[in-house]
Amino acid sequence: AQSVTQPDIHITVSEGASLELRCNYSYGATPYLFWYVQSPGQGLQLLLKYFSGDTLVQGIKGFEAEFKRSQSSFNLRKPSVHWSDAAEYFCAVAASGGSYIPTFGRGTSLIVHP
Amino acid sequence: DAGVIQSPRHEVTEMGQEVTLRCKPISGHDYLFWYRQTMMRGLELLIYFNNNVPIDDSGMPEDRFSAKMPNASFSTLKIQPSEPRDSAVYFCASSTGTGNYGYTFGSGTRLTVV
């Protein structure tokens, strides 16, 4: 069965600082991997996805994520955080064991200090 | 495109009452998903449809919950009778496929059962 873990419930960064949100998945083969962002009172928005090829994936809003097979990780990064990036971030994994329907992590809440 | 449209945005109802949540997916999307989000359990898949046919309803918590998709542009999630523990944010999402396909989420319906 597929599962995904986001170890950090909250992350606090200063505006302009770099950001890395962690995501670890559990699945034997390479699954499909996603990052979504949820602003307060809104639905989830797809930031980026990975299924094969280049392990560094570029997404919207200046975000990128790197797939590391050896670590079963798909961490989200941004070189310089803006106050508007404050939101909830969800990692998701989709694999054959789950009929390719994504399982979502519990989310990481990003707080941005001015 | 107006995106995935959910109504109502907020619903407050008394225990025992019937509640109906509505969703209009993006035109051309063959898949429709209903999710529930709570602090305790995170984002849970309740049911999903492909071409208006329910494929997997194993996430529906009880017989009190039912979902229908009478046509490609409309779906409902009904709770009858409602209970306080049903209080949550309910999201509808649509997609052109599973696996590598990202989802487009609606803004959700915040349900409060008192």
Side-chain angles (χ1 to χ4, degrees):
Chain A
Q2 62 196 30
S3 67
V4 59
T5 302
Q6 294 180 246
D8 304 306
I9 298 174
H10 303 282
I11 290 282
T12 301
V13 300
S14 297
E15 191 168 17
S18 63
L19 170 70
E20 182 169 27
L21 302 183
R22 296 184 292 164
C23 173
N24 294 98
Y25 66 90
S26 175
Y27 185 67
T30 300
Y32 301 122
L33 296 159
F34 308 83
W35 275 100
Y36 286 82
V37 61
Q38 183 182 27
S39 297
Q42 299 298 315
L44 281 69
Q45 180 185 19
L46 181 66
L47 283 176
L48 47 79
K49 60 184 179 181
Y50 171 82
F51 65 100
S52 69
D54 192 345
T55 57
L56 187 62
V57 181
Q58 301 298 319
I60 63 172
K61 302 178 186 284
F63 285 93
E64 65 180 25
E66 186 172 14
F67 169 63
K68 292 185 177 180
R69 184 191 306 276
S70 61
Q71 298 177 18
S72 297
S73 69
F74 188 56
N75 294 349
L76 182 71
R77 302 195 295 244
K78 187 169 185 177
S80 178
V81 171
H82 188 263
W83 64 267
S84 60
D85 293 324
E88 191 87 13
Y89 291 81
F90 293 90
C91 182
V93 58
S96 60
S99 301
Y100 294 107
I101 303 300
T103 296
F104 287 84
R106 294 303 302 271
T108 297
S109 178
L110 175 63
I111 301 165
V112 180
H113 281 170
Chain B
D1 196 327
V4 176
I5 300 172
Q6 290 187 246
S7 65
R9 286 298 307 273
H10 301 275
E11 177 80 38
V12 180
T13 190
E14 291 185 348
M15 182 174 62
Q17 296 298 307
E18 177 180 294
V19 176
T20 300
L21 312 181
R22 297 173 176 79
C23 175
K24 176 179 170 57
I26 290 176
S27 177
H29 281 195
D30 298 330
Y31 286 82
L32 183 140
F33 307 84
W34 282 101
Y35 283 88
R36 179 171 68 176
Q37 185 178 41
T38 61
M39 290 293 292
M40 290 294 293
R41 301 174 68 89
L43 201 61
E44 303 173 275
L45 176 67
L46 300 177
I47 185 172
Y48 77 94
F49 296 82
N50 181 25
N51 291 323
N52 313 336
V53 177
I55 303 301
D56 185 352
D57 65 354
S58 61
M60 298 285 263
E62 302 170 31
D63 291 344
R64 299 184 296 106
F65 286 69
S66 62
K68 294 181 180 180
M69 192 165 185
N71 57 62
S73 60
F74 183 66
S75 177
T76 60
L77 178 67
K78 185 176 294 186
I79 308 173
Q80 166 64 18
S82 58
E83 297 183 2
R85 59 194 168 122
D86 301 330
S87 297
V89 181
Y90 291 81
F91 288 104
C92 175
S94 70
S95 173
T96 53
T98 60
N100 185 40
Y101 296 87
Y103 293 179
T104 301
F105 281 77
S107 297
T109 295
R110 180 173 295 277
L111 173 65
T112 303
V113 183
V114 298

XYZ file of all heavy atoms in Angstrom, chain A residues 32 34 36 38 41-44 46 49-51 90 94 99-102 104 106, chain B residues 9 33 35 37 39-43 45 48 91 98-100 102-103 105-107:
349
model
N 3.893 8.039 -8.727
C 3.678 9.406 -9.156
C 3.650 10.276 -7.896
O 3.035 9.915 -6.898
C 2.350 9.535 -9.911
C 2.265 8.660 -11.126
C 1.256 7.708 -11.261
C 3.182 8.781 -12.163
C 1.170 6.904 -12.379
C 3.097 7.982 -13.287
C 2.090 7.043 -13.397
O 2.008 6.252 -14.505
N 3.323 14.298 -6.130
C 2.711 15.611 -6.330
C 2.955 16.486 -5.101
O 3.092 15.998 -3.979
C 1.184 15.482 -6.505
C 0.744 14.504 -7.546
C 0.651 13.152 -7.255
C 0.392 14.940 -8.817
C 0.223 12.243 -8.215
C -0.034 14.037 -9.783
C -0.116 12.692 -9.481
N 0.852 19.925 -3.577
C -0.264 20.841 -3.678
C -0.122 21.910 -2.608
O 0.457 21.671 -1.544
C -1.599 20.112 -3.451
C -2.070 19.237 -4.588
C -1.570 17.945 -4.748
C -3.030 19.687 -5.487
C -2.019 17.133 -5.772
C -3.490 18.881 -6.526
C -2.974 17.610 -6.658
O -3.417 16.811 -7.678
N -2.520 24.785 -0.352
C -3.868 25.187 0.033
C -3.795 26.500 0.804
O -3.267 26.534 1.921
C -4.544 24.111 0.886
C -5.981 24.439 1.257
C -6.611 23.373 2.137
O -5.936 22.658 2.875
N -7.932 23.239 2.062
N -9.111 28.880 3.342
C -10.434 28.964 2.759
C -10.535 28.540 1.309
O -11.583 28.728 0.681
N -9.467 27.963 0.803
C -9.450 27.566 -0.608
C -9.214 26.066 -0.759
O -8.844 25.377 0.188
C -8.344 28.322 -1.350
C -8.510 29.830 -1.335
C -9.790 30.273 -2.019
O -10.137 29.792 -3.098
N -10.527 31.174 -1.375
N -9.438 25.589 -1.977
C -9.119 24.211 -2.277
C -7.630 24.050 -2.563
O -6.872 25.014 -2.555
N -7.234 22.836 -2.813
C -5.831 22.557 -3.095
C -5.502 22.901 -4.549
O -6.303 22.656 -5.453
C -5.517 21.075 -2.851
C -5.302 20.632 -1.412
C -6.576 20.679 -0.598
C -4.695 19.238 -1.377
N -2.489 22.421 -7.543
C -1.322 21.650 -7.920
C -0.133 22.562 -8.166
O -0.207 23.495 -8.968
C -1.616 20.839 -9.173
C -0.487 19.952 -9.700
C -0.163 18.828 -8.717
C -0.856 19.385 -11.072
N 4.450 18.081 -10.266
C 4.305 16.632 -10.206
C 5.524 15.974 -10.838
O 6.225 16.584 -11.654
C 3.033 16.174 -10.919
C 2.987 16.548 -12.395
C 1.652 16.144 -13.013
C 1.605 16.541 -14.493
N 0.316 16.193 -15.124
N 5.747 14.727 -10.466
C 6.849 13.953 -11.004
C 6.364 12.540 -11.302
O 5.645 11.926 -10.506
C 8.008 13.876 -10.001
C 9.082 12.915 -10.434
C 10.048 13.301 -11.353
C 9.109 11.601 -9.959
C 11.016 12.416 -11.782
C 10.081 10.709 -10.382
C 11.028 11.120 -11.289
O 11.982 10.237 -11.721
N 6.779 12.016 -12.475
C 6.510 10.608 -12.732
C 7.690 9.900 -13.365
O 7.814 8.690 -13.268
C 5.257 10.425 -13.595
C 5.382 10.970 -14.991
C 5.658 10.145 -16.059
C 5.192 12.320 -15.243
C 5.757 10.652 -17.349
C 5.294 12.834 -16.524
C 5.577 11.990 -17.580
N 0.752 20.183 0.794
C 0.466 18.752 0.853
C 1.281 18.007 -0.199
O 1.286 18.380 -1.376
C -1.014 18.486 0.599
C -1.923 18.989 1.665
C -2.440 20.280 1.607
C -2.276 18.183 2.740
C -3.281 20.756 2.597
C -3.120 18.653 3.737
C -3.617 19.943 3.664
N 0.767 8.603 -5.764
C -0.188 7.752 -6.474
C 0.578 6.592 -7.083
O 1.590 6.795 -7.754
C -0.924 8.537 -7.553
N -4.539 1.977 -6.916
C -5.291 2.237 -8.147
C -4.951 3.586 -8.749
O -5.761 4.185 -9.439
C -6.804 2.143 -7.891
O -7.151 0.871 -7.404
N -3.756 4.054 -8.443
C -3.274 5.335 -8.958
C -4.096 6.511 -8.484
O -4.089 7.578 -9.110
C -3.188 5.314 -10.485
C -2.144 4.348 -10.987
C -2.503 3.148 -11.583
C -0.785 4.642 -10.855
C -1.538 2.263 -12.031
C 0.185 3.755 -11.299
C -0.198 2.572 -11.883
O 0.748 1.705 -12.323
N -4.801 6.350 -7.384
C -5.500 7.465 -6.759
C -4.577 8.020 -5.677
O -4.084 7.273 -4.835
C -6.827 7.018 -6.128
C -7.711 6.369 -7.190
C -7.530 8.193 -5.475
C -8.070 7.262 -8.350
N -4.326 9.317 -5.673
C -3.358 9.866 -4.718
C -3.768 9.697 -3.260
O -4.939 9.839 -2.913
C -3.298 11.346 -5.080
C -3.785 11.421 -6.479
C -4.798 10.329 -6.604
N -2.812 11.527 0.233
C -2.240 12.804 0.645
C -1.585 12.693 2.023
O -2.074 11.981 2.908
C -3.323 13.884 0.698
C -3.788 14.330 -0.658
C -4.758 13.628 -1.347
C -3.252 15.464 -1.256
C -5.192 14.026 -2.602
C -3.676 15.878 -2.510
C -4.644 15.161 -3.184
N -0.359 14.611 5.649
C -1.148 15.404 6.596
C -0.936 16.896 6.442
O -1.660 17.690 7.046
C -0.818 14.972 8.029
C -1.242 13.555 8.360
C -2.725 13.323 8.147
N -3.536 14.229 8.938
C -3.925 13.966 10.175
N -3.586 12.854 10.760
N -4.672 14.851 10.825
N -20.894 27.241 0.036
C -19.556 27.381 0.616
C -19.570 27.045 2.100
O -18.600 26.503 2.639
C -19.040 28.807 0.433
C -18.615 29.150 -0.972
C -17.445 28.282 -1.460
N -16.299 28.273 -0.560
C -15.315 29.164 -0.597
N -15.326 30.146 -1.464
N -14.291 29.070 0.255
N -13.991 13.387 -7.805
C -13.624 12.868 -6.488
C -14.287 13.709 -5.403
O -14.361 14.922 -5.520
C -12.104 12.931 -6.294
C -11.312 12.276 -7.392
C -11.021 12.965 -8.562
C -10.844 10.976 -7.256
C -10.283 12.371 -9.588
C -10.105 10.377 -8.270
C -9.828 11.071 -9.427
N -13.691 14.464 -1.371
C -12.781 14.337 -0.239
C -13.385 15.027 0.973
O -14.171 15.965 0.858
C -11.435 15.015 -0.538
C -10.508 14.237 -1.433
C -10.562 14.353 -2.814
C -9.540 13.397 -0.892
C -9.698 13.655 -3.637
C -8.660 12.694 -1.706
C -8.743 12.833 -3.072
O -7.877 12.145 -3.881
N -11.983 16.798 4.647
C -10.789 17.260 5.351
C -11.136 17.623 6.785
O -12.010 18.462 7.025
C -10.171 18.469 4.645
C -8.855 18.928 5.246
C -8.242 20.113 4.496
O -8.944 21.038 4.094
N -6.940 20.072 4.279
N -9.155 18.089 10.893
C -7.878 18.218 11.590
C -7.386 16.841 12.045
O -6.190 16.554 12.013
C -8.029 19.139 12.786
C -8.247 20.589 12.423
S -6.795 21.307 11.658
C -5.662 21.305 13.039
N -8.326 16.012 12.475
C -7.929 14.726 13.044
C -7.440 13.743 11.981
O -6.475 13.009 12.207
C -9.124 14.108 13.788
C -9.497 14.828 15.055
S -8.201 14.703 16.292
C -8.266 12.948 16.652
N -8.096 13.717 10.833
C -7.830 12.667 9.855
C -7.205 13.179 8.556
O -6.882 12.383 7.672
C -9.121 11.917 9.557
C -9.746 11.277 10.796
C -11.104 10.664 10.460
N -10.957 9.514 9.582
C -10.788 8.277 10.008
N -10.719 8.033 11.302
N -10.666 7.280 9.151
N -7.043 14.488 8.445
C -6.464 15.023 7.221
C -7.437 14.943 6.061
O -8.643 15.043 6.233
N -6.889 14.705 4.876
C -7.685 14.672 3.646
C -7.988 13.215 3.311
O -7.080 12.432 3.032
C -6.891 15.323 2.522
C -7.635 15.849 1.311
C -8.619 16.928 1.717
C -6.648 16.412 0.301
N -10.225 10.437 0.969
C -11.046 10.194 -0.205
C -12.314 9.450 0.213
O -12.236 8.403 0.843
C -10.271 9.366 -1.230
C -11.048 8.963 -2.486
C -11.386 10.196 -3.326
C -10.253 7.960 -3.312
N -15.051 8.109 -5.663
C -14.755 8.754 -6.920
C -15.539 8.104 -8.058
O -15.910 6.923 -7.984
C -13.258 8.823 -7.202
C -12.577 7.562 -7.686
C -12.401 7.318 -9.049
C -12.053 6.657 -6.773
C -11.727 6.199 -9.493
C -11.377 5.525 -7.212
C -11.207 5.301 -8.568
O -10.543 4.181 -9.006
N -14.460 18.573 -0.040
C -13.942 19.048 -1.321
C -14.374 18.124 -2.444
O -14.404 16.901 -2.304
C -12.412 19.093 -1.305
C -11.838 20.188 -0.470
C -11.289 19.923 0.775
C -11.825 21.497 -0.939
C -10.751 20.936 1.544
C -11.292 22.516 -0.182
C -10.754 22.243 1.067
N -6.305 9.349 -13.826
C -5.636 9.055 -12.564
C -4.146 8.874 -12.854
O -3.688 9.082 -13.974
C -6.202 7.773 -11.930
O -5.995 6.674 -12.827
C -7.681 7.924 -11.662
N -3.390 8.495 -11.844
C -1.960 8.318 -12.038
C -1.249 9.644 -12.101
O -1.203 10.385 -11.126
N -0.719 9.971 -13.248
C 0.086 11.159 -13.409
C -0.728 12.441 -13.526
O -0.178 13.529 -13.633
C 0.962 11.012 -14.662
C 1.909 12.164 -14.826
O 2.481 12.651 -13.854
N 2.050 12.649 -16.047
N -2.846 15.532 -12.401
C -3.166 16.328 -11.227
C -4.650 16.598 -11.149
O -5.377 16.474 -12.133
N -5.098 16.935 -9.967
C -6.506 17.218 -9.749
C -6.734 18.722 -9.661
O -5.870 19.472 -9.208
C -6.975 16.619 -8.419
C -6.993 15.116 -8.344
C -7.374 14.479 -7.174
C -6.622 14.319 -9.420
C -7.400 13.104 -7.069
C -6.640 12.937 -9.326
C -7.023 12.341 -8.145
O -7.047 10.974 -8.042
N -9.180 21.136 -7.629
C -10.089 21.120 -6.494
C -11.018 22.323 -6.519
O -10.646 23.425 -6.950
C -9.307 21.158 -5.181
C -8.719 19.837 -4.771
C -7.577 19.346 -5.390
C -9.300 19.090 -3.762
C -7.028 18.134 -5.014
C -8.754 17.876 -3.382
C -7.618 17.397 -4.007
N -12.226 22.108 -5.994
C -13.107 23.224 -5.716
C -12.697 23.896 -4.419
O -11.752 23.467 -3.748
N -13.402 24.955 -4.072
C -13.067 25.726 -2.865
C -13.623 25.092 -1.600
O -13.328 25.556 -0.507
C -13.588 27.154 -2.987
O -12.955 27.815 -4.061
